[in-house]
Amino acid sequence: MSMPLHQTEFKDAGVKFTPDGKVLTYYGNTIICLMNDASWPIYHAAKKAIAALRQSSYADKMAFLPKDSLHMTVISLTRELDRHTQYWSPHVPEDASFEEADRILEELVQDIPQGHDVQMRFDHVEQTKLILVPADEASAQALLEYREKISDITGIRHANHEDYRYHMSLDYALKPLTADEIEENRILCESLTQEFRQSLPLISLPKPRFVIFDNMLAYNTDRKKRGTLG
């Protein structure tokens, strides 16, 4: 259930946090469903998982995310590090400010409907995330069609587009775990997985929102907040 993280996950975290957990500037925009409503059971499950991971012997090897930023990414858009790569939208000039990139991309995606009401179910806990899956075929198809429409209209198609795993991030891994820590994490994640599978109801996703971020600690729907978040 809880497999050791692939080395690329530490590389990814390295551009978002320093090795000692200090957050780094990381401009981008994305489409998410916020999951930070305290009335939601999945929110409290995420809080419990974070609290348990904080009590682990390897807690200092992770950078934990604030609870008010809990969300499920529907589809990633553009980040500053994508500039001059195939993942930068062809509709955004490569020398555009990120404020201009925000404006162009939000205008492109704002009128695309998600369609069918989407329900997700909890699947399992990993060291850095809660894995979610569509609860039925209609939900899976609605998410697929929405992601395809967004990708087509923005011209953005990330490398993991075809095999993207829906999830709620809890933390970022900063350093690999030892063999003993991997076993501790496996036991912890399996225990939480068993508990949550018995207790969590289906999740009716809220409307996807275009949001901006300056780093991994805060997301905002107001483009005027660019450069002031976190």
Coordinates of all heavy atoms in Angstrom, one line a residue, residues 100-192:
E100 N 0.0 38.3 -16.5 CA -0.6 38.1 -17.9 C -0.9 36.7 -18.2 O -2.0 36.4 -18.7 CB 0.3 38.7 -18.9 CG -0.2 38.7 -20.3 CD -1.4 39.6 -20.5 OE1 -1.8 40.3 -19.6 OE2 -2.0 39.7 -21.7
A101 N -0.1 35.8 -17.8 CA -0.4 34.3 -18.0 C -1.6 34.0 -17.2 O -2.5 33.2 -17.7 CB 0.8 33.5 -17.5
D102 N -1.7 34.4 -16.0 CA -2.9 34.2 -15.2 C -4.2 34.7 -15.9 O -5.2 33.9 -16.0 CB -2.9 34.9 -13.8 CG -1.8 34.4 -12.9 OD1 -1.4 33.2 -13.0 OD2 -1.3 35.1 -12.0
R103 N -4.1 35.9 -16.4 CA -5.3 36.5 -17.0 C -5.7 35.7 -18.3 O -6.9 35.3 -18.4 CB -5.0 37.9 -17.4 CG -6.2 38.6 -18.1 CD -5.9 39.9 -18.7 NE -5.0 39.8 -19.9 CZ -5.3 39.4 -21.1 NH1 -6.6 39.1 -21.3 NH2 -4.4 39.3 -22.0
I104 N -4.8 35.4 -19.1 CA -5.1 34.6 -20.4 C -5.7 33.3 -20.1 O -6.7 32.9 -20.7 CB -3.8 34.5 -21.2 CG1 -3.4 35.9 -21.7 CG2 -4.1 33.6 -22.4 CD1 -2.0 35.9 -22.4
L105 N -5.0 32.5 -19.2 CA -5.5 31.2 -18.9 C -6.8 31.2 -18.2 O -7.7 30.3 -18.5 CB -4.5 30.4 -18.1 CG -3.2 30.1 -18.9 CD1 -2.1 29.5 -18.0 CD2 -3.4 29.2 -20.1
E106 N -7.1 32.1 -17.3 CA -8.4 32.1 -16.6 C -9.5 32.4 -17.6 O -10.6 31.8 -17.6 CB -8.4 33.1 -15.5 CG -9.7 33.1 -14.8 CD -9.8 34.0 -13.6 OE1 -9.1 35.1 -13.6 OE2 -10.5 33.7 -12.6
E107 N -9.2 33.3 -18.5 CA -10.2 33.7 -19.5 C -10.5 32.5 -20.5 O -11.6 32.3 -20.9 CB -9.8 34.9 -20.3 CG -9.8 36.2 -19.5 CD -9.4 37.4 -20.3 OE1 -8.9 37.2 -21.5 OE2 -9.4 38.5 -19.8
L108 N -9.5 31.7 -20.7 CA -9.7 30.5 -21.6 C -10.6 29.4 -20.9 O -11.4 28.8 -21.6 CB -8.3 29.9 -22.0 CG -7.5 30.6 -23.0 CD1 -6.1 30.0 -23.1 CD2 -8.2 30.6 -24.4
V109 N -10.4 29.2 -19.6 CA -11.0 28.1 -19.0 C -12.3 28.4 -18.2 O -13.0 27.5 -17.8 CB -10.0 27.4 -18.0 CG1 -8.7 27.0 -18.7 CG2 -9.7 28.3 -16.8
Q110 N -12.6 29.7 -18.0 CA -13.6 30.1 -17.0 C -15.0 29.6 -17.4 O -15.9 29.4 -16.6 CB -13.6 31.6 -16.8 CG -13.9 32.4 -18.0 CD -13.8 33.9 -17.7 OE1 -13.5 34.3 -16.5 NE2 -13.9 34.7 -18.7
D111 N -15.3 29.5 -18.7 CA -16.6 29.1 -19.1 C -16.8 27.6 -19.5 O -17.8 27.2 -20.0 CB -17.0 30.0 -20.3 CG -17.2 31.4 -20.0 OD1 -17.6 31.7 -18.8 OD2 -16.8 32.3 -20.8
I112 N -15.7 26.8 -19.2 CA -15.8 25.4 -19.5 C -16.5 24.7 -18.4 O -16.1 24.7 -17.3 CB -14.4 24.8 -19.8 CG1 -13.7 25.4 -21.0 CG2 -14.5 23.3 -20.0 CD1 -12.4 24.9 -21.2
P113 N -17.7 24.1 -18.6 CA -18.4 23.4 -17.6 C -17.8 22.1 -17.3 O -17.3 21.4 -18.1 CB -19.8 23.3 -18.1 CG -19.6 23.1 -19.6 CD -18.4 24.0 -19.9
Q114 N -18.0 21.6 -16.0 CA -17.5 20.3 -15.6 C -18.5 19.3 -16.1 O -18.2 18.1 -16.3 CB -17.3 20.2 -14.1 CG -16.9 18.8 -13.7 CD -16.7 18.7 -12.2 OE1 -15.6 18.9 -11.7 NE2 -17.8 18.5 -11.5
G115 N -19.8 19.7 -16.2 CA -20.8 18.7 -16.6 C -21.4 17.9 -15.5 O -21.8 18.5 -14.5
H116 N -21.4 16.6 -15.6 CA -22.0 15.7 -14.6 C -21.4 16.0 -13.2 O -20.2 16.3 -13.0 CB -21.7 14.3 -15.0 CG -22.2 13.3 -14.0 ND1 -23.5 12.8 -13.9 CD2 -21.5 12.6 -13.0 CE1 -23.6 11.9 -12.9 NE2 -22.4 11.8 -12.4
D117 N -22.3 16.0 -12.2 CA -21.8 16.1 -10.8 C -20.9 15.0 -10.5 O -21.2 13.8 -10.7 CB -23.0 16.1 -9.8 CG -23.9 17.3 -9.9 OD1 -23.4 18.4 -10.4 OD2 -25.1 17.3 -9.6
V118 N -19.7 15.3 -9.9 CA -18.7 14.3 -9.7 C -18.6 13.9 -8.3 O -18.6 14.7 -7.4 CB -17.3 14.8 -10.2 CG1 -16.2 13.9 -9.8 CG2 -17.3 15.1 -11.7
Q119 N -18.6 12.6 -8.1 CA -18.4 12.0 -6.7 C -17.1 11.2 -6.7 O -16.8 10.5 -7.6 CB -19.6 11.1 -6.3 CG -20.8 11.9 -6.0 CD -21.8 11.0 -5.2 OE1 -22.1 9.9 -5.6 NE2 -22.4 11.6 -4.2
M120 N -16.4 11.4 -5.6 CA -15.1 10.7 -5.4 C -15.2 9.8 -4.2 O -16.1 10.1 -3.3 CB -13.9 11.7 -5.2 CG -13.8 12.7 -6.3 SD -13.3 12.0 -7.9 CE -11.6 11.6 -7.6
R121 N -14.4 8.8 -4.1 CA -14.3 8.0 -2.9 C -12.8 7.9 -2.5 O -11.9 8.0 -3.3 CB -14.9 6.6 -3.0 CG -14.2 5.7 -4.0 CD -14.8 4.3 -4.0 NE -14.2 3.5 -5.0 CZ -13.0 2.9 -4.9 NH1 -12.3 3.0 -3.8 NH2 -12.5 2.1 -5.9
F122 N -12.6 7.9 -1.2 CA -11.3 7.7 -0.6 C -10.8 6.3 -1.0 O -11.5 5.3 -0.9 CB -11.3 7.8 0.9 CG -10.1 7.3 1.6 CD1 -9.0 8.1 1.6 CD2 -10.1 6.1 2.2 CE1 -7.8 7.6 2.2 CE2 -9.0 5.6 2.8 CZ -7.8 6.3 2.8
D123 N -9.5 6.2 -1.4 CA -8.9 4.9 -1.7 C -7.9 4.5 -0.7 O -8.1 3.4 -0.1 CB -8.3 5.0 -3.1 CG -8.0 3.6 -3.6 OD1 -8.9 2.8 -3.9 OD2 -6.7 3.2 -3.6
H124 N -6.8 5.3 -0.5 CA -5.8 4.9 0.5 C -5.0 6.1 0.9 O -5.0 7.1 0.2 CB -5.0 3.7 0.0 CG -4.1 4.0 -1.1 ND1 -4.5 3.9 -2.4 CD2 -2.8 4.4 -1.2 CE1 -3.5 4.2 -3.2 NE2 -2.4 4.5 -2.5
V125 N -4.2 5.9 2.0 CA -3.3 6.9 2.5 C -1.9 6.6 2.0 O -1.4 5.4 2.1 CB -3.3 7.0 4.0 CG1 -2.3 8.1 4.5 CG2 -4.7 7.3 4.5
E126 N -1.1 7.6 1.6 CA 0.3 7.4 1.3 C 1.1 8.4 2.2 O 0.4 9.3 2.9 CB 0.6 7.7 -0.2 CG 0.0 6.6 -1.1 CD 0.3 6.8 -2.5 OE1 1.1 7.7 -2.9 OE2 -0.1 5.9 -3.3
Q127 N 2.3 8.4 2.2 CA 3.1 9.3 3.0 C 2.8 10.8 2.8 O 2.8 11.6 3.7 CB 4.6 9.0 2.8 CG 5.5 9.9 3.6 CD 7.0 9.8 3.2 OE1 7.4 8.9 2.6 NE2 7.8 10.8 3.6
T128 N 2.6 11.1 1.5 CA 2.4 12.5 1.2 C 1.0 12.9 0.8 O 0.7 14.1 0.5 CB 3.3 12.9 0.1 OG1 3.1 12.1 -1.1 CG2 4.8 12.7 0.5
K129 N 0.0 11.9 0.7 CA -1.3 12.3 0.2 C -2.3 11.3 0.5 O -2.0 10.1 0.9 CB -1.2 12.4 -1.3 CG -0.6 11.2 -2.0 CD -0.5 11.4 -3.5 CE 0.6 12.3 -3.9 NZ 2.0 11.7 -3.8
L130 N -3.6 11.7 0.4 CA -4.7 10.8 0.4 C -5.1 10.6 -1.1 O -5.4 11.6 -1.8 CB -5.9 11.5 1.1 CG -5.8 11.9 2.6 CD1 -7.1 12.4 3.1 CD2 -5.2 10.8 3.4
I131 N -5.2 9.4 -1.5 CA -5.5 9.0 -2.9 C -7.0 8.9 -3.0 O -7.7 8.3 -2.2 CB -4.9 7.7 -3.3 CG1 -3.3 7.8 -3.2 CG2 -5.3 7.4 -4.7 CD1 -2.7 8.9 -4.1
L132 N -7.6 9.6 -4.0 CA -9.0 9.6 -4.2 C -9.3 9.1 -5.6 O -8.4 9.2 -6.5 CB -9.6 11.0 -4.2 CG -9.3 11.8 -2.9 CD1 -9.8 13.2 -3.0 CD2 -9.9 11.1 -1.7
V133 N -10.4 8.4 -5.8 CA -10.8 7.9 -7.1 C -12.2 8.2 -7.4 O -13.0 8.3 -6.5 CB -10.5 6.3 -7.2 CG1 -9.0 6.0 -7.0 CG2 -11.4 5.6 -6.2
P134 N -12.6 8.3 -8.7 CA -14.0 8.5 -9.0 C -14.9 7.4 -8.5 O -14.5 6.2 -8.5 CB -14.0 8.5 -10.6 CG -12.6 8.9 -11.0 CD -11.7 8.3 -9.9
A135 N -16.0 7.8 -8.0 CA -16.9 6.8 -7.3 C -17.7 5.9 -8.3 O -18.1 4.9 -7.9 CB -17.9 7.5 -6.4
D136 N -17.8 6.4 -9.5 CA -18.5 5.6 -10.5 C -18.1 6.0 -11.9 O -17.3 7.0 -12.1 CB -20.1 5.9 -10.4 CG -20.4 7.4 -10.3 OD1 -19.9 8.1 -11.2 OD2 -21.2 7.8 -9.4
E137 N -18.6 5.3 -12.9 CA -18.1 5.5 -14.3 C -18.5 6.9 -14.8 O -17.7 7.6 -15.5 CB -18.7 4.5 -15.2 CG -18.2 4.6 -16.6 CD -16.7 4.5 -16.8 OE1 -16.0 3.8 -16.0 OE2 -16.1 5.2 -17.7
A138 N -19.7 7.4 -14.4 CA -20.1 8.7 -14.8 C -19.2 9.8 -14.3 O -18.8 10.8 -15.0 CB -21.6 9.0 -14.4
S139 N -18.8 9.7 -13.0 CA -17.8 10.7 -12.5 C -16.5 10.6 -13.1 O -15.9 11.6 -13.4 CB -17.7 10.4 -11.0 OG -18.9 10.6 -10.3
A140 N -16.0 9.4 -13.4 CA -14.7 9.2 -14.1 C -14.8 9.8 -15.5 O -13.8 10.5 -15.9 CB -14.4 7.7 -14.2
Q141 N -15.9 9.6 -16.2 CA -16.0 10.2 -17.5 C -16.1 11.7 -17.5 O -15.5 12.4 -18.4 CB -17.2 9.6 -18.2 CG -17.3 9.9 -19.7 CD -16.2 9.4 -20.5 OE1 -15.5 8.4 -20.2 NE2 -15.8 10.1 -21.6
A142 N -16.8 12.2 -16.5 CA -17.0 13.7 -16.4 C -15.6 14.3 -16.2 O -15.3 15.4 -16.8 CB -18.0 14.0 -15.3
L143 N -14.8 13.8 -15.3 CA -13.5 14.3 -15.0 C -12.6 14.2 -16.2 O -11.9 15.2 -16.6 CB -12.9 13.6 -13.8 CG -13.3 14.0 -12.4 CD1 -12.8 13.1 -11.4 CD2 -12.9 15.4 -12.1
L144 N -12.6 13.1 -16.9 CA -11.8 12.9 -18.1 C -12.2 13.9 -19.2 O -11.3 14.6 -19.7 CB -12.0 11.5 -18.6 CG -11.3 11.1 -20.0 CD1 -9.8 11.2 -19.8 CD2 -11.7 9.7 -20.4
E145 N -13.5 14.1 -19.4 CA -13.9 15.0 -20.5 C -13.5 16.4 -20.1 O -13.1 17.2 -21.0 CB -15.4 14.9 -20.7 CG -15.8 13.6 -21.3 CD -17.3 13.4 -21.5 OE1 -18.0 14.3 -21.0 OE2 -17.7 12.4 -22.0
Y146 N -13.7 16.8 -18.8 CA -13.3 18.2 -18.4 C -11.8 18.4 -18.6 O -11.4 19.4 -19.1 CB -13.8 18.3 -16.9 CG -13.5 19.7 -16.4 CD1 -14.2 20.8 -16.8 CD2 -12.5 19.9 -15.4 CE1 -14.0 22.1 -16.3 CE2 -12.2 21.2 -14.9 CZ -13.0 22.3 -15.3 OH -12.7 23.5 -14.8
R147 N -11.0 17.4 -18.1 CA -9.6 17.6 -18.3 C -9.2 17.7 -19.7 O -8.3 18.5 -20.1 CB -8.9 16.4 -17.6 CG -8.8 16.5 -16.1 CD -8.4 15.2 -15.4 NE -7.1 14.7 -16.0 CZ -5.9 15.1 -15.7 NH1 -5.8 16.1 -14.8 NH2 -4.8 14.6 -16.3
E148 N -9.8 16.9 -20.6 CA -9.5 17.0 -22.0 C -9.8 18.4 -22.6 O -9.1 18.9 -23.4 CB -10.2 15.9 -22.8 CG -9.7 14.5 -22.5 CD -8.2 14.3 -22.9 OE1 -7.8 14.9 -24.0 OE2 -7.4 13.7 -22.1
K149 N -11.0 18.9 -22.2 CA -11.4 20.2 -22.7 C -10.4 21.3 -22.3 O -10.1 22.2 -23.1 CB -12.8 20.5 -22.2 CG -13.9 19.7 -22.9 CD -15.3 20.0 -22.3 CE -16.4 19.2 -22.9 NZ -17.7 19.4 -22.3
I150 N -10.0 21.2 -21.0 CA -9.1 22.2 -20.5 C -7.7 22.1 -21.2 O -7.1 23.1 -21.6 CB -8.9 22.1 -19.0 CG1 -10.2 22.3 -18.2 CG2 -7.7 23.0 -18.5 CD1 -10.6 23.7 -18.2
S151 N -7.3 20.9 -21.4 CA -6.0 20.7 -22.1 C -6.1 21.2 -23.5 O -5.1 21.8 -24.0 CB -5.6 19.2 -22.0 OG -4.4 19.0 -22.7
D152 N -7.2 20.9 -24.2 CA -7.3 21.3 -25.6 C -7.3 22.8 -25.7 O -6.7 23.3 -26.6 CB -8.6 20.6 -26.2 CG -8.5 19.2 -26.4 OD1 -7.3 18.6 -26.4 OD2 -9.5 18.5 -26.6
I153 N -8.1 23.5 -24.9 CA -8.3 24.9 -25.1 C -7.0 25.7 -24.6 O -6.7 26.8 -25.2 CB -9.5 25.4 -24.4 CG1 -9.9 26.8 -24.9 CG2 -9.3 25.5 -22.9 CD1 -11.3 27.2 -24.5
T154 N -6.3 25.2 -23.6 CA -5.1 25.9 -23.2 C -3.8 25.4 -23.9 O -2.8 26.1 -23.9 CB -4.9 25.6 -21.7 OG1 -4.6 24.2 -21.4 CG2 -6.0 26.1 -20.8
G155 N -3.9 24.3 -24.5 CA -2.7 23.7 -25.2 C -1.7 23.2 -24.2 O -0.5 22.9 -24.5
I156 N -2.1 22.9 -22.9 CA -1.2 22.4 -21.9 C -1.5 20.9 -21.7 O -2.7 20.6 -21.4 CB -1.4 23.2 -20.6 CG1 -1.0 24.7 -20.8 CG2 -0.5 22.6 -19.5 CD1 -1.4 25.5 -19.6
R157 N -0.5 20.1 -21.8 CA -0.7 18.7 -21.5 C 0.6 18.2 -20.8 O 1.6 17.9 -21.5 CB -0.9 17.9 -22.8 CG -1.5 16.5 -22.7 CD -1.8 15.9 -24.0 NE -2.6 14.7 -23.9 CZ -3.9 14.7 -23.8 NH1 -4.6 15.8 -23.9 NH2 -4.6 13.5 -23.7
H158 N 0.5 18.0 -19.5 CA 1.7 17.6 -18.7 C 2.0 16.2 -18.9 O 1.2 15.4 -19.4 CB 1.5 18.0 -17.3 CG 1.5 19.4 -17.0 ND1 2.7 20.1 -17.0 CD2 0.6 20.3 -16.7 CE1 2.5 21.4 -16.7 NE2 1.2 21.6 -16.6
A159 N 3.2 15.8 -18.6 CA 3.7 14.4 -18.8 C 2.8 13.4 -18.2 O 2.7 12.2 -18.7 CB 5.1 14.3 -18.3
N160 N 2.2 13.7 -17.0 CA 1.4 12.7 -16.3 C -0.1 12.8 -16.7 O -1.0 12.3 -15.9 CB 1.6 12.8 -14.8 CG 1.0 14.2 -14.3 OD1 0.7 15.1 -15.0 ND2 0.9 14.3 -13.0
H161 N -0.4 13.5 -17.8 CA -1.8 13.7 -18.1 C -2.6 12.4 -18.2 O -3.8 12.3 -17.7 CB -1.9 14.5 -19.4 CG -3.3 14.9 -19.8 ND1 -3.9 16.0 -19.3 CD2 -4.2 14.3 -20.6 CE1 -5.2 16.1 -19.8 NE2 -5.4 15.0 -20.6
E162 N -2.1 11.4 -18.8 CA -2.8 10.2 -19.1 C -3.0 9.3 -17.9 O -4.0 8.6 -17.8 CB -2.1 9.4 -20.2 CG -2.0 10.1 -21.5 CD -3.3 10.5 -22.2 OE1 -4.3 9.8 -21.8 OE2 -3.3 11.4 -23.0
D163 N -2.1 9.4 -16.9 CA -2.1 8.5 -15.8 C -2.2 9.3 -14.4 O -1.7 8.9 -13.4 CB -1.0 7.5 -15.7 CG 0.4 8.3 -15.8 OD1 0.4 9.5 -15.9 OD2 1.4 7.6 -15.8
Y164 N -2.8 10.5 -14.5 CA -2.9 11.4 -13.3 C -3.7 10.7 -12.2 O -4.7 10.1 -12.5 CB -3.5 12.7 -13.7 CG -3.5 13.7 -12.5 CD1 -2.4 14.3 -12.1 CD2 -4.7 13.9 -11.8 CE1 -2.4 15.2 -11.0 CE2 -4.7 14.7 -10.7 CZ -3.6 15.4 -10.3 OH -3.6 16.2 -9.2
R165 N -3.1 10.8 -11.0 CA -3.8 10.2 -9.8 C -4.4 11.4 -9.0 O -3.7 12.3 -8.5 CB -2.9 9.4 -8.9 CG -2.3 8.2 -9.6 CD -1.7 7.2 -8.6 NE -0.7 7.9 -7.8 CZ -0.3 7.5 -6.5 NH1 -0.9 6.4 -6.0 NH2 0.6 8.1 -5.9
Y166 N -5.7 11.4 -8.8 CA -6.4 12.4 -8.0 C -6.0 12.2 -6.5 O -5.9 11.0 -6.0 CB -7.9 12.3 -8.2 CG -8.3 12.5 -9.6 CD1 -8.8 11.4 -10.3 CD2 -8.3 13.7 -10.2 CE1 -9.2 11.6 -11.7 CE2 -8.7 13.9 -11.5 CZ -9.1 12.8 -12.3 OH -9.5 13.0 -13.6
H167 N -5.8 13.3 -5.8 CA -5.3 13.2 -4.5 C -5.5 14.5 -3.7 O -5.7 15.5 -4.3 CB -3.8 12.8 -4.4 CG -2.9 13.8 -5.0 ND1 -2.7 13.9 -6.4 CD2 -2.2 14.8 -4.5 CE1 -1.9 14.8 -6.7 NE2 -1.6 15.5 -5.5
M168 N -5.3 14.4 -2.4 CA -5.2 15.6 -1.5 C -3.8 15.5 -0.9 O -3.4 14.6 -0.2 CB -6.2 15.5 -0.4 CG -7.7 15.7 -0.9 SD -8.8 15.5 0.5 CE -8.4 16.9 1.5
S169 N -3.0 16.5 -1.2 CA -1.6 16.5 -0.7 C -1.7 16.9 0.8 O -2.4 17.8 1.2 CB -0.8 17.5 -1.4 OG -0.5 17.1 -2.8
L170 N -0.8 16.2 1.6 CA -0.7 16.4 3.0 C 0.6 17.1 3.3 O 0.7 17.9 4.3 CB -0.8 15.1 3.8 CG -2.0 14.2 3.5 CD1 -1.8 12.8 4.2 CD2 -3.3 14.9 3.9
D171 N 1.6 16.7 2.6 CA 3.0 17.2 2.9 C 3.9 16.9 1.6 O 3.4 16.3 0.7 CB 3.6 16.5 4.1 CG 3.7 14.9 3.9 OD1 4.6 14.5 3.2 OD2 2.8 14.2 4.4
Y172 N 5.1 17.4 1.7 CA 6.1 17.1 0.6 C 7.2 16.4 1.3 O 7.7 16.8 2.4 CB 6.6 18.4 -0.1 CG 5.6 18.9 -1.1 CD1 4.6 19.7 -0.8 CD2 5.7 18.4 -2.4 CE1 3.7 20.1 -1.7 CE2 4.8 18.8 -3.4 CZ 3.8 19.7 -3.0 OH 2.9 20.1 -4.0
A173 N 7.7 15.4 0.7 CA 8.9 14.6 1.2 C 10.1 15.4 0.8 O 10.4 15.7 -0.3 CB 8.9 13.2 0.6
L174 N 11.0 15.6 1.8 CA 12.2 16.3 1.6 C 13.4 15.4 1.5 O 14.4 15.8 0.8 CB 12.4 17.3 2.8 CG 11.3 18.3 3.1 CD1 11.6 19.1 4.3 CD2 11.0 19.2 1.9
K175 N 13.4 14.3 2.2 CA 14.5 13.3 2.2 C 14.0 11.9 2.2 O 12.9 11.6 2.7 CB 15.3 13.5 3.4 CG 15.9 15.0 3.6 CD 16.5 15.1 5.0 CE 16.9 16.6 5.2 NZ 17.5 16.8 6.6
P176 N 14.7 11.0 1.6 CA 14.3 9.6 1.6 C 14.2 9.0 3.0 O 14.9 9.5 3.9 CB 15.4 8.9 0.8 CG 16.1 9.9 0.0 CD 16.0 11.2 0.9
L177 N 13.4 8.0 3.2 CA 13.2 7.4 4.5 C 14.2 6.2 4.6 O 14.6 5.6 3.6 CB 11.8 6.9 4.7 CG 10.7 7.9 4.6 CD1 9.4 7.2 5.0 CD2 10.9 9.1 5.5
T178 N 14.6 5.9 5.8 CA 15.4 4.7 6.0 C 14.5 3.5 5.9 O 13.3 3.6 5.9 CB 16.0 4.7 7.4 OG1 15.0 4.6 8.4 CG2 16.9 6.0 7.7
A179 N 15.1 2.3 6.0 CA 14.3 1.1 5.9 C 13.3 1.0 7.1 O 12.2 0.6 6.9 CB 15.2 -0.2 5.8
D180 N 13.8 1.3 8.2 CA 12.9 1.3 9.4 C 11.8 2.3 9.3 O 10.6 2.0 9.7 CB 13.7 1.5 10.7 CG 14.6 0.4 11.1 OD1 14.4 -0.8 10.6 OD2 15.5 0.5 11.9
E181 N 12.1 3.5 8.8 CA 11.1 4.5 8.6 C 10.1 4.1 7.6 O 8.9 4.4 7.7 CB 11.8 5.8 8.3 CG 12.5 6.4 9.5 CD 13.5 7.5 9.1 OE1 13.7 7.7 7.8 OE2 13.9 8.3 10.0
I182 N 10.5 3.5 6.5 CA 9.6 3.0 5.5 C 8.6 2.0 6.1 O 7.4 2.1 5.8 CB 10.4 2.3 4.3 CG1 11.1 3.4 3.5 CG2 9.4 1.5 3.4 CD1 12.0 2.8 2.5
E183 N 9.1 1.1 6.9 CA 8.2 0.1 7.6 C 7.2 0.8 8.5 O 6.0 0.5 8.6 CB 9.0 -0.9 8.3 CG 8.2 -1.9 9.1 CD 7.3 -2.8 8.2 OE1 7.4 -2.7 6.9 OE2 6.4 -3.5 8.7
E184 N 7.7 1.8 9.3 CA 6.9 2.6 10.2 C 5.8 3.3 9.4 O 4.6 3.3 9.8 CB 7.7 3.6 11.0 CG 6.9 4.5 11.9 CD 7.7 5.6 12.6 OE1 8.9 5.5 12.5 OE2 7.1 6.5 13.2
N185 N 6.2 3.9 8.3 CA 5.2 4.6 7.4 C 4.2 3.6 6.8 O 3.0 4.0 6.8 CB 5.9 5.3 6.3 CG 5.0 6.1 5.4 OD1 4.4 7.1 5.8 ND2 4.8 5.6 4.2
R186 N 4.6 2.5 6.4 CA 3.7 1.5 5.9 C 2.6 1.1 6.9 O 1.4 1.1 6.6 CB 4.5 0.2 5.5 CG 3.6 -0.9 4.8 CD 4.3 -2.2 4.6 NE 4.6 -2.8 5.9 CZ 3.8 -3.5 6.7 NH1 2.5 -3.6 6.3 NH2 4.1 -4.0 7.8
I187 N 3.0 0.8 8.1 CA 2.1 0.5 9.2 C 1.1 1.6 9.5 O -0.1 1.4 9.6 CB 2.8 0.1 10.5 CG1 3.6 -1.2 10.2 CG2 1.9 -0.1 11.6 CD1 4.6 -1.6 11.3
L188 N 1.6 2.8 9.5 CA 0.8 4.0 9.8 C -0.2 4.2 8.7 O -1.4 4.4 8.9 CB 1.7 5.2 10.0 CG 0.9 6.6 10.1 CD1 0.0 6.6 11.2 CD2 1.9 7.7 10.1
C189 N 0.2 4.2 7.4 CA -0.7 4.4 6.3 C -1.7 3.3 6.2 O -2.9 3.6 5.9 CB 0.1 4.5 5.0 SG 1.1 6.1 4.9
E190 N -1.3 2.1 6.4 CA -2.3 1.0 6.3 C -3.4 1.1 7.4 O -4.5 0.8 7.2 CB -1.6 -0.4 6.4 CG -0.8 -0.7 5.1 CD -0.3 -2.1 5.1 OE1 -0.4 -2.8 6.1 OE2 0.3 -2.4 4.0
S191 N -3.0 1.5 8.6 CA -3.9 1.7 9.7 C -4.9 2.8 9.4 O -6.1 2.6 9.6 CB -3.2 2.0 11.0 OG -4.1 2.3 12.1
L192 N -4.4 3.9 8.9 CA -5.3 5.0 8.6 C -6.2 4.6 7.4 O -7.4 5.0 7.4 CB -4.5 6.3 8.2 CG -3.7 6.9 9.4 CD1 -2.8 8.0 8.9 CD2 -4.7 7.6 10.4

